[in-house]
Amino acid sequence: MRRFEKISYEQFKKDIHGSDTLYQAYALPTRATKCSAAYDFKTIQALEILPGETKNIPTGVKAQMNDDEVLMVVVRSSMGFHYNIRLVNQVGIIDGDYYNNSDNEGHIWIKLQNEGTIPFRIEAGVGIAQGMFTKFLTVDHEECQEKNIRTGGFGSTNKEEK
């Protein structure tokens, strides 16, 4: 199964501090045309990023996908080309086990940086990033151990076992 869902209202209040009205109003990612490869992630609220500033932007979205898939997130090309806005990590990789794991609901965040010389302002409901689901391959005869189960969010697969 592959789909986008809103994060829970409890997670929304924790991460965004928004109202019930705001929670009901924002939309899940959609494709702009039938030939679009990626889904547009849109802002929940208006925002401004000053020159040189980096901003973490909550999407209010989590993604469920098949075990052999990944969601790749990139900045919308027009934002880099016209406004010199970039995704800080260039390409965000959302693994399937990021969704509803034991420590994290799977809320996807977008971290943008303004490398331009003027403030970047964007209204609520405007696309800032694109996410594309794709299949991935693994090496033959890999032994994936049951103990290697995600229990957290950003950077959780790089933590030492205790």
Side-chain angles (χ1 to χ4, degrees):
M1 167 162 304
R2 182 182 316 108
R3 66 180 177 183
F4 292 109
E5 297 175 17
K6 287 186 176 187
I7 57 173
S8 69
Y9 185 58
E10 291 75 29
Q11 189 71 49
F12 184 84
K13 289 189 296 187
K14 178 181 168 191
D15 291 350
I16 302 167
H17 310 291
S19 66
D20 185 54
T21 304
L22 186 60
Y23 182 73
Q24 297 301 325
Y26 78 94
L28 294 173
T30 57
R31 293 184 311 138
T33 69
K34 75 175 191 166
C35 292
S36 295
Y39 290 80
D40 292 331
F41 282 82
K42 298 178 180 178
T43 55
I44 294 174
Q45 299 171 305
L47 63 97
E48 178 180 62
I49 307 174
L50 301 174
E53 184 179 25
T54 300
K55 196 164 269 190
N56 291 327
I57 304 165
T59 66
V61 173
K62 57 186 177 177
Q64 183 178 18
M65 64 198 89
N66 298 314
D67 289 344
D68 62 345
E69 296 176 338
V70 64
L71 176 65
M72 296 173 37
V73 180
V74 297
V75 72
R76 290 181 50 91
S77 57
S78 61
M79 289 181 52
F81 191 80
H82 295 297
Y83 308 108
N84 214 6
I85 300 295
R86 72 176 186 95
L87 189 66
V88 171
N89 56 339
Q90 303 300 313
V91 177
I93 299 294
I94 312 298
D95 296 315
D97 58 358
Y98 185 61
Y99 172 87
N100 282 353
N101 68 72
S102 64
D103 257 7
N104 181 355
E105 194 170 303
H107 187 186
I108 298 169
W109 291 67
I110 307 294
K111 188 169 190 173
L112 296 179
Q113 182 172 21
N114 183 345
E115 293 188 336
T117 57
I118 59 172
F120 174 73
R121 293 178 185 90
I122 193 161
E123 296 302 317
V126 176
I128 57 169
Q130 300 176 87
M132 183 173 66
F133 291 99
T134 188
K135 295 222 180 253
F136 63 86
L137 304 173
T138 57
V139 298
D140 293 336
H141 310 295
E142 179 181 42
E143 293 184 29
C144 187
Q145 300 175 14
E146 287 293 321
K147 68 178 183 174
N148 295 339
I149 295 173
R150 181 186 299 272
T151 57
F154 301 117
S156 62
T157 58
N158 201 26
K159 291 180 183 172
E160 299 257 340
E161 241 185 90
K162 294 182 182 178

